[in-house]
Amino acid sequence: MATSRKVTLLSSDGESFEVEQSVAVESITIKDSIEEGSAGNPIPVPKVNSKILAKVIEYCKKHVESAKAEDRVDDEDLVAWDADFVKVDQATLFDLIRAANFLNIKSLLDLTCQTVADMIKGKTPEEKRKTFTIRNDFTPEEEEEVRRENQWAFE
Amino acid sequence: MASTSAWTIGQKDHKDYISLLPDCLIHHIFSFLPTRDVVKTCVLSKRWQAIWTTISNLKFSVSSYDDSFVNRVLTLYMWRKVEKFHLDIRSKYFYPFKIDLWIRFAIDHEVEELLLNLNWWAYYTLSPLLYNCSSLTKLCLTGCHFSSSQRISWSSLKSLSIQNMKVSDDVLQQIFMGSPALEYLNLKRCWGVERICSRSLKELVLDDVNVEFPLETFSPPLEIWTPRLLSLRVRGYIYEIIRILEASSLVEAELDFDSAELDCSFLKESLGKLQNATRIQLGAWFIWVMGLLKVEDVQFSLSNCKSLTLHMTIPQFSFPAIANMLATSPNLEKLVIIFDPPDCVSVYSLNSNSQFGNI
């Protein structure tokens, strides 16, 4: 496989991104479609718009480059880079989760889900609702019953 | 259902994105949380009332005698299988039979990833059920006790991490014989380790091995026989020497440990075994001992080494070693020198007459 082979990805809103094949195949979905020969050129990426696709490509590029790096000093830098990468608004974060899932990029899916998990951890239900703007659609009686049923979890 | 409050226009965070995710992605987020936090999501809204009931990963942290939470979740668990089962026992006192029961639950549910974290002084001996488990692919044990001469069968195990435990040679050989698919082994603060012998092992990490409880003034060398090993990392403090018998597939090696040994022949022998490695990292102690060697003593060649990372503490001890290393690596493309200043403050000056002659 030539290292400088490039592929073109087409976002759902019609924007083209030319990337190295080694970066594109971080997505197992894209890798499989290239190997099966069903990819076409450019490779369409439905469900992922240009803004999110650009971020995903940025992530994959960084991780492919770091894998080539020859010394372990880069590991800490990569962790810091990842932490900065996910400092985005919730809309973008959840779009990244969906994109990582659709494109089957395990490390990105784990990173984004871990970020959301960290936002959930240790918060009271009221705090969780506030963080994620979850509307409480229980009636007071319904909520009381749910709490009673699951009292053992709150002790 | 998602709702927007009146002032959300332009405010990207004020929409309920999380509830719009499909269950499988919410479960993936849950897999990073302790189960206690997961169950508590049931009161958030109707969407969340029952999502937790279909999780397939269980992570428990038990800090008191009260284990009713764990038992309740296990009773309500609805799948035939559990992917990850993590048990972190924080309390000093607990009943071993309860842990045995929980392990039994995990094994009965064909657990793939099991993590058991205990305090060594609790003297919990691993349930015999655990030794024969064909579903395990990843096992992490901390602070437990192996019973010796138990036949082990972990036919699917790929990754094993053991920390703060005694791993005597008979147990370790049982592990290797019973884990034909083992690819990753991490031993941290373990003792009693004598031989690492595995045909399948690809990655080995040894961290502070055989440091605790030095029972003899002379300990046998730690022998490594791993024909398929690609990556070796040895860190921390080692009492006795490490002898690499077979590691011809090695691609990267990190030898960043301290030792009481000053045996240069062992050092030359170790470096000789790294001949096929392309990435090598050597710690400060290694460099210091290397500096005691004379150039003519260094008779091997690391011709495959493309990347070398060297730690040094005191320059005038390190430069002869660095010169030796450069002499043995004719195809080097990248050299990284990391300066770890010593803890004590000392004044030293470079003596330019002797150090740079060979570079």
Side-chain angles (χ1 to χ4, degrees), chain B residues 213-220 239-240 260-261:
Chain B
F213 304 88
L215 297 172
E216 298 145 27
T217 47
F218 174 74
S219 315
Y239 263 104
E240 78 286 288
E261 278 291 334

Side-chain angles (χ1 to χ4, degrees), chain B residues 10-179:
Chain B
Q11 297 282 349
K12 288 198 183 141
D13 274 9
H14 294 280
K15 190 174 166 190
D16 185 4
Y17 298 103
I18 194 173
S19 300
L20 291 174
L21 288 179
D23 280 10
C24 61
L25 288 180
I26 293 183
H27 282 160
H28 197 70
I29 292 170
F30 280 171
S31 70
F32 294 98
L33 285 168
T35 303
R36 201 175 269 278
D37 277 333
V38 170
V39 178
K40 285 184 183 174
T41 62
C42 61
V43 295
L44 290 177
S45 73
K46 287 181 180 171
R47 159 89 180 104
W48 290 84
Q49 191 175 350
I51 306 181
W52 74 269
T53 59
T54 48
I55 52 174
S56 54
N57 294 302
L58 298 171
K59 293 188 176 185
F60 299 113
S61 183
V62 184
S63 54
S64 69
Y65 266 125
D66 186 11
D67 52 7
S68 55
F69 176 79
V70 178
N71 290 330
R72 191 66 181 259
V73 172
L74 296 190
T75 328
L76 294 171
Y77 191 77
M78 67 175 286
W79 299 122
R80 191 182 52 84
K81 202 172 151 45
V82 66
E83 280 172 39
K84 293 186 193 178
F85 192 93
H86 290 200
L87 200 52
D88 182 15
I89 310 283
R90 297 268 162 122
S91 63
K92 283 186 196 165
Y93 311 105
F94 61 90
Y95 296 115
F97 80 86
K98 287 190 179 172
I99 302 184
D100 287 349
L101 280 175
W102 294 335
I103 291 182
R104 171 176 227 139
F105 173 94
I107 294 176
D108 284 348
H109 286 76
E110 296 174 22
V111 62
E112 288 178 15
E113 182 180 309
L114 180 66
L115 184 147
L116 196 51
N117 191 8
L118 269 95
N119 192 315
W120 185 80
W121 282 281
Y123 292 107
Y124 171 72
T125 307
L126 286 170
S127 162
L129 285 174
L130 187 56
Y131 294 118
N132 191 339
C133 181
S134 55
S135 58
L136 273 176
T137 56
K138 183 169 172 181
L139 179 61
C140 300
L141 300 171
T142 303
C144 310
H145 292 246
F146 284 111
S147 36
S148 54
S149 16
Q150 269 272 9
R151 206 172 150 265
I152 290 177
S153 176
W154 292 329
S155 49
S156 309
L157 194 68
K158 282 199 173 150
S159 166
L160 177 61
S161 300
I162 303 178
Q163 189 169 324
N164 296 356
M165 287 172 66
K166 179 179 176 190
V167 190
S168 57
D169 192 59
D170 60 319
V171 169
L172 195 52
Q173 299 321 311
Q174 278 294 335
I175 290 174
F176 289 132
M177 283 200 289
S179 315

Side-chain angles (χ1 to χ4, degrees), chain A residues 70-72 89-91 94 98 110 113-114 117 122 125 129 132-133 135 137-138 142 146 152-153 155, chain B residues 3 12-13 16-18 20 28 32-33 36-37 39 42-46 49 72 252 279 307 334:
Chain A
E70 297 294 0
D71 51 280
R72 298 231 156 236
D89 57 73
Q90 282 192 22
F94 287 104
R98 290 172 186 273
D110 285 350
C113 286
Q114 173 79 69
R129 286 195 196 108
F132 295 104
T133 322
R135 195 176 126 255
D137 53 359
F138 287 122
E142 284 168 340
V146 173
W152 52 275
E155 270 152 16
Chain B
S3 71
K12 288 198 183 141
D13 274 9
D16 185 4
Y17 298 103
I18 194 173
L20 291 174
H28 197 70
F32 294 98
L33 285 168
R36 201 175 269 278
D37 277 333
V39 178
C42 61
V43 295
L44 290 177
S45 73
K46 287 181 180 171
Q49 191 175 350
R72 191 66 181 259
E252 74 170 354
R279 293 196 292 278
S307 165
K334 181 171 177 180

